[in-house]
Amino acid sequence: MRFILTAVLCLLLTIAYSQAKHMPAVKLNLPVKIDGDLNDEAWKSIPASGDFITFSPHFGNISSHKTEVKIAYDDNAVYVAAYLYEKPENIRTQLTARDISDRQDVDVFTVGLDTYLDRQNAFLFKVTAAGVQADAKGSQNSSPVYDITWNAVWESKVTIKKDGWTVEMKIPFSAIRISKNEVQDWGLNFARFVRKENENSIWSPENPNINGDINQWGTWTGLKNIKPPLRLSFQPYISGGFRNSPTNNGNVTEVLKSGGMDVKYGINESFTLDMTLIPDFAQVQSDNLLLNLTPFEVKFDDYRPFFTEGTELFNKAGLFYSRRVGAAPGGASAVLKKYGSDPGYRIDKNPGITRLYNAAKISGRTRDNLGIGVFNAVSVPMYADVTRLSNGTDSSILTEALTNYNIIVLDQALKNRSFISFTNTNVMRKGNSRNANVGSADLSLFDKKNTYNFALSGKFSTIWGDNYTRNGYRSDISFSKVSKLVRYSAAANVISDKFDPNDLGYLLSNNQMVYSGAISYNLLKPKNRYNTRIYSAGFNNSFLYKPFNWTGLSVNAKAFFLFRNFWDVTFSFQSQPLWSKDYFVSSTVYNGSFLMRKPTYYLGINGSTDSRKKLYFNYNIGGAESPSPDDPYWTSEAGLRYRVNDKFQFSADMIIEHDKGNWGWSYITDNLGRPTVPLIIAKRKVKRNTGVVTAQYNFTKRMNWTVRVRHYWSALENTSFYNLRNDGYLDDIAFIPGKNINYNTFNVDMFYTWDFLLGSRITIAWKNALGANVNIDPYSHTSYLKNFGQMVTNPHSNELTVKIVYFLDYLKLKGKS
């Protein structure tokens, strides 16, 4: 009998803790001072909420630490007060940069607000026990995505108590988007992360066996008579510095100076205009350049805040690769190649980035949950200046034409996280050399229990210019089980040979059809020595679209284990078990030739240690083979991070790859620069070493210094050459000397940042980079240390800049006046 009663009680508790919670909204009548003490009279009349349950490592338990939260609002803002009980000696308080809290030694409190209760979009505000702020904008299609580059201006204060720590927050309505409805309900959740136990606990349950999290939040009911304020702010900036760049004809020094402004204007309660006038993006992390031995374009991350912050709506259809806007001028490399090594010329100016006149984006949602987004940017025509030394003649060479970039998005949110959307991207260039337009219609449907998803997408592209037009299409369809213990998916993708979204988007290659499937077994409940176990497998069967031909089959499998001590390990297997046809061996455009590639098999293991420790280590070891003799591939990675104290930490990471059976186009061309006929294929040995060292020192919660050093080296040694036959196989030819490659990139990025006021910042940046005309003999410097010594002695460019940004809020200025 006792056993039955206990079982019934456990069942009732499980049901109670799996239900989304509700909390009535209370409006403040007294002011609140944001000091972290929670002693204001206003808080005494606000009921506290608690009863947090764990999200991880075990879902559904009562939190091991007591938490009390109060939330209220007035005519201007949302106020949150939280008391997080804990022994003071167990509170982790590492200082970090803003928006950095993952895998750091710090406790965190979070509040999430879904202001339109659409269960798809939300704002997150975090405060660490060290008082550092973090914020993010959340959205979820098939899975949640949080944009941590989104930054709002809000207040918070933390105080350490004898029995825990307290946090007080003020989130102005001007920092978020709200409707005009007289009575409103918002999605709401609170979360607490206790670093000592790695315990995440939450107010309203988020079951990890159910796909998505915003859709599982609780509800804050009955907000009344709140009026969206005028949202208008300015961030003017000035910047200056110099850049010294080496060339074959000596160093070229440029004086850098710029000024501009970012404007944020709330058009109404739902829509916001973000505009940047004469933007300056010099103070961002350098790209991770590498030697690309494929015909496919390398995709780089974007570190420019304007193009990463709040852009999730514009990329709903996957057509927005923000690096297209303000990319390197298309003709800059040709100028460097033609004149940089010619002693008869001097390059006086050859910009490496395309400046913008302005960029603007309008986004928001109507009362009926229709998301509308408009993006527009106009680039400055870029020129290189070259002087002929024999007679002093100056030439100005156009390297990038005046260009207008535009995106329009309509996204209708439906029930159960479903949506239907339309996206159109457009690029127009002065001179009509090449213009582009791409449209996409996307549908995603979830069932009521959030278990299954059906997705359908259709895209159409048009490229036109002087005397030509090219049309193409793409279609995608998938069906997935996205929740529960066993999850699976099946998908089909068709990309025509003329589909081209790459003027504003990113696509590796067109002209293909792919059928794929995947299945996973997700054990998310701790058992025995494991916290989590996930087993997964999948396949891809691909074809050439035109002419229709089978190209290859690939299969993969993984097993992931997270242990009780928070170490993790993943075992990986990948294979192309059959001979495959590579139709893109020398070009992303089908040219009739293909290379028969042998079956391959890859096994790998990677993992990491407990990131709570001062010394944290991650690793990756893998190897691949084919039936051919003497062509193994292996890779290894070792990384460590050491936390010296709560202010200073550093990390180092090294990746080493050796590939003795790398087959590909030899890059040998005819007199006109075209690939030879027949194509000459090379078998080569390729070595790659990538080393990265970083360090961060945080003086205060608003002042930090960071440095990142990266060296990449790739050495290519040709071992034999072949003519490619029409059937994809090879004929031996005589060895061709002098075709080895030694490629290096080296960067130092150092930043000092001081947020001297909310929204206002001073940044001092120093950048050092290996010069463009690097000449290291690939035959005599074949070891890493010999190559590194030569790399250091080659000329480097240096850049030093200072940028000051000041935040001005119209409402505060109006109040002062």
Side-chain angles (χ1 to χ4, degrees):
M1 185 67 179
R2 182 180 297 176
F3 172 79
I4 296 174
L5 290 174
T6 302
V8 171
L9 180 60
C10 290
L11 177 62
L12 292 175
L13 286 172
T14 300
I15 294 173
Y17 283 122
S18 63
Q19 300 296 317
K21 293 185 178 180
H22 292 73
M23 178 187 294
V26 179
K27 193 168 187 178
L28 292 171
N29 296 315
L30 296 172
V32 172
K33 182 181 179 181
I34 305 301
D35 54 14
D37 283 336
L38 315 187
N39 292 325
D40 302 275
E41 284 294 323
W43 287 123
K44 294 180 179 179
S45 61
I46 307 299
S49 183
D51 298 329
F52 278 44
I53 68 165
T54 56
F55 171 75
S56 67
H58 189 294
F59 171 71
N61 289 342
I62 298 175
S63 175
S64 60
H65 300 273
K66 181 181 177 182
T67 305
E68 292 182 348
V69 181
K70 297 182 178 183
I71 184 170
Y73 70 100
D74 62 13
D75 292 332
N76 303 305
V78 173
Y79 299 83
V80 179
Y83 205 123
L84 303 103
Y85 292 88
E86 176 63 285
K87 294 178 180 178
E89 62 270 22
N90 292 336
I91 301 173
R92 304 298 175 90
T93 57
Q94 180 187 354
L95 279 171
T96 65
R98 181 188 172 106
D99 291 326
I100 303 297
S101 59
D102 290 346
R103 293 184 180 270
Q104 306 300 309
D105 194 41
V106 65
D107 290 5
V108 185
F109 174 76
T110 304
V111 57
L113 301 173
D114 173 9
T115 55
Y116 281 82
L117 199 63
D118 62 6
R119 303 301 187 188
Q120 296 188 39
N121 301 278
F123 303 95
L124 258 65
F125 300 89
K126 300 182 179 183
V127 182
T128 74
V132 178
Q133 291 184 347
D135 41 26
K137 199 173 182 182
S139 62
Q140 54 184 35
N141 297 334
S142 57
S143 59
V145 176
Y146 289 97
D147 175 15
I148 64 171
T149 64
W150 178 79
N151 287 321
V153 178
W154 48 287
E155 297 178 52
S156 63
K157 190 66 182 293
V158 167
T159 301
I160 304 296
K161 303 288 188 178
K162 63 180 181 180
D163 57 350
W165 59 288
T166 58
V167 57
E168 212 165 11
M169 306 163 66
K170 178 183 178 181
I171 305 167
F173 291 141
S174 59
I176 55 179
R177 297 174 184 177
I178 60 176
S179 74
K180 278 186 176 180
N181 295 345
E182 291 186 5
V183 180
Q184 301 181 34
D185 294 341
W186 292 5
L188 175 69
N189 216 348
F190 307 106
R192 176 185 183 178
F193 177 60
V194 179
R195 185 55 164 160
K196 186 176 184 296
E197 287 90 14
N198 261 0
E199 181 185 275
N200 276 294
S201 56
I202 47 181
W203 171 68
S204 187
E206 294 177 14
N207 190 336
N209 286 307
I210 298 176
N211 183 264
D213 50 19
I214 300 173
N215 50 296
Q216 301 186 62
W217 285 7
T219 308
W220 194 24
T221 61
L223 288 86
K224 299 178 181 178
N225 302 320
I226 55 174
K227 297 181 179 179
L230 175 63
R231 294 177 289 124
L232 178 60
S233 63
F234 309 89
Q235 282 187 303
Y237 83 88
I238 56 172
S239 67
F242 72 89
R243 180 190 298 123
N244 185 276
S245 305
T247 68
N248 285 348
N249 299 317
N251 288 354
V252 175
T253 300
E254 299 176 68
V255 176
L256 308 173
K257 55 185 184 296
S258 185
M261 181 184 295
D262 289 350
V263 180
K264 188 181 289 286
Y265 172 59
I267 300 172
N268 56 28
E269 75 277 8
S270 303
F271 290 89
T272 301
L273 165 67
D274 291 279
M275 178 179 289
T276 181
L277 306 173
I278 318 178
D280 175 31
F281 301 120
Q283 294 184 326
V284 295
Q285 180 181 304
S286 301
D287 286 329
N288 294 327
L289 299 176
L290 50 81
L291 176 63
N292 183 15
L293 297 177
T294 75
F296 308 116
E297 177 188 11
V298 177
K299 187 175 184 180
F300 294 109
D301 293 331
D302 200 338
Y303 303 106
R304 302 170 298 173
F306 182 85
F307 292 102
T308 58
E309 178 183 319
T311 56
E312 69 284 343
L313 181 62
F314 298 102
N315 206 27
K316 194 127 190 178
L319 293 177
F320 183 34
Y321 175 37
S322 59
R323 288 294 297 266
R324 301 291 185 208
V325 184
S333 58
V335 170
L336 184 64
K337 182 178 181 180
K338 183 175 181 179
Y339 300 103
S341 57
D342 191 330
Y345 289 87
R346 182 184 69 238
I347 300 176
D348 299 312
K349 184 179 73 171
N350 187 22
I353 60 172
T354 302
R355 296 296 304 273
L356 302 178
Y357 284 122
N358 60 67
K361 54 192 179 188
I362 298 173
S363 60
R365 288 191 175 272
T366 67
R367 294 182 181 183
D368 297 323
N369 260 329
L370 174 63
I372 302 175
V374 178
F375 172 91
N376 194 82
V378 181
S379 68
V380 178
M382 304 304 294
Y383 294 86
D385 294 337
V386 178
T387 300
R388 186 171 185 174
L389 298 178
S390 61
N391 56 14
T393 304
D394 295 331
S395 300
S396 187
I397 303 169
L398 179 67
T399 56
E400 187 69 36
L402 173 74
T403 306
N404 185 84
Y405 303 89
N406 185 263
I407 307 174
I408 298 175
V409 182
L410 300 174
D411 174 50
Q412 179 62 61
L414 307 174
K415 291 182 178 181
N416 307 319
R417 296 175 53 211
S418 303
F419 69 86
I420 183 170
S421 68
F422 171 78
T423 303
N424 188 84
T425 67
N426 182 275
V427 178
M428 301 288 290
R429 294 180 174 89
K430 185 178 180 180
N432 204 35
S433 58
R434 177 185 167 103
N435 304 307
N437 193 85
V438 183
S440 177
D442 299 83
L443 174 68
S444 178
L445 299 174
F446 287 86
D447 68 309
K448 189 174 182 180
K449 293 184 178 181
N450 194 35
T451 303
Y452 299 98
N453 172 256
F454 171 78
L456 181 65
S457 173
K459 297 175 174 62
F460 187 84
S461 69
T462 300
I463 309 297
W464 76 97
D466 293 330
N467 303 318
Y468 76 92
T469 300
R470 187 168 68 248
N471 298 321
Y473 72 91
R474 171 175 182 163
S475 60
D476 304 85
I477 187 170
S478 66
F479 178 78
S480 309
K481 184 184 178 186
V482 296
S483 298
K484 307 299 183 182
L485 189 68
V486 177
R487 306 177 190 185
Y488 53 81
S489 65
N493 317 97
V494 179
I495 308 174
S496 76
D497 58 319
K498 292 183 174 60
F499 178 71
D500 187 357
N502 282 345
D503 288 79
L504 197 47
Y506 178 86
L507 178 67
L508 272 178
S509 63
N510 53 20
N511 198 18
Q512 58 180 315
M513 299 173 60
V514 180
Y515 302 96
S516 60
I519 188 169
S520 65
Y521 186 61
N522 304 271
L523 298 169
L524 307 180
K525 186 176 180 179
K527 186 176 182 181
N528 299 329
R529 67 183 65 180
Y530 306 104
N531 279 329
T532 302
R533 288 165 290 165
I534 300 176
Y535 307 93
S536 61
F539 76 92
N540 283 276
N541 194 26
S542 55
F543 299 81
L544 192 71
Y545 171 80
K546 185 178 181 180
F548 184 78
N549 275 305
W550 179 81
T551 58
L553 171 69
S554 64
V555 295
N556 64 83
K558 278 187 178 182
F560 169 78
F561 303 92
L562 176 62
F563 299 96
R564 294 274 190 170
N565 62 357
F566 294 101
W567 289 44
D568 68 86
V569 63
T570 301
F571 298 95
S572 304
F573 170 76
Q574 298 174 32
S575 176
Q576 289 184 320
L578 306 173
W579 282 78
S580 59
K581 298 178 180 180
D582 183 357
Y583 285 92
F584 305 108
V585 64
S586 64
S587 171
T588 58
V589 179
Y590 173 71
N591 56 17
S593 62
F594 63 92
L595 172 65
M596 293 297 296
R597 292 194 177 272
K598 299 173 183 178
T600 58
Y601 309 91
Y602 172 88
L603 286 173
I605 178 174
N606 66 82
S608 63
T609 61
D610 185 354
S611 61
R612 294 174 297 177
K613 306 298 183 181
K614 279 181 174 275
L615 180 63
Y616 165 74
F617 182 76
N618 63 279
Y619 62 91
N620 178 40
I621 302 172
E625 264 290 4
S626 76
S628 298
D630 194 32
D631 68 345
Y633 165 87
W634 63 267
T635 180
S636 63
E637 177 182 4
L640 64 87
R641 183 208 65 199
Y642 185 71
R643 187 176 64 254
V644 180
N645 52 42
D646 279 348
K647 291 187 174 183
F648 180 54
Q649 70 177 17
F650 64 86
S651 62
D653 188 88
M654 175 63 80
I655 303 174
I656 302 174
E657 294 178 85
H658 280 208
D659 187 357
K660 292 187 176 182
N662 186 285
W663 298 78
W665 179 40
S666 62
Y667 298 97
I668 296 175
T669 59
D670 60 21
N671 294 332
L672 298 177
R674 300 172 302 191
T676 58
V677 179
L679 202 68
I680 298 178
I681 300 297
K683 181 184 179 183
R684 53 219 179 183
K685 297 178 181 178
V686 179
K687 294 188 290 187
R688 300 184 188 93
N689 286 39
T690 306
V692 179
V693 177
T694 62
Q696 305 91 31
Y697 187 88
N698 294 277
F699 301 93
T700 69
K701 62 184 179 181
R702 292 184 181 175
M703 183 189 298
N704 62 79
W705 166 86
T706 63
V707 62
R708 181 180 188 265
V709 182
R710 177 181 182 267
H711 176 227
Y712 170 89
W713 172 55
S714 184
L716 182 151
E717 177 189 354
N718 292 292
T719 58
S720 52
F721 291 89
Y722 307 85
N723 279 336
L724 180 63
R725 301 191 329 220
N726 291 334
D727 61 1
Y729 294 96
L730 305 171
D731 289 328
D732 290 331
I733 61 174
F735 186 82
I736 304 173
K739 297 299 180 180
N740 290 358
I741 299 174
N742 188 316
Y743 179 84
N744 285 267
T745 65
F746 179 84
N747 295 96
V748 179
D749 297 323
M750 185 180 296
F751 300 98
Y752 165 81
T753 303
W754 176 29
D755 295 336
F756 59 95
L757 291 172
L758 289 175
S760 302
R761 171 175 291 187
I762 294 176
T763 306
I764 303 174
W766 172 59
K767 291 187 174 185
N768 176 280
L770 188 63
N773 297 316
V774 181
N775 185 18
I776 300 177
D777 183 19
Y779 296 94
S780 58
H781 301 97
T782 56
S783 72
Y784 181 79
L785 291 179
K786 286 183 179 181
N787 173 83
F788 187 83
Q790 288 294 308
M791 183 274 299
V792 172
T793 60
N794 268 262
H796 289 233
S797 66
N798 284 278
E799 178 179 302
L800 180 66
T801 57
V802 179
K803 184 175 182 179
I804 302 174
V805 180
Y806 195 83
F807 177 78
L808 298 169
D809 183 84
Y810 171 79
L811 293 178
K812 288 189 176 181
L813 291 175
K814 182 180 178 182
K816 289 181 179 180
S817 64

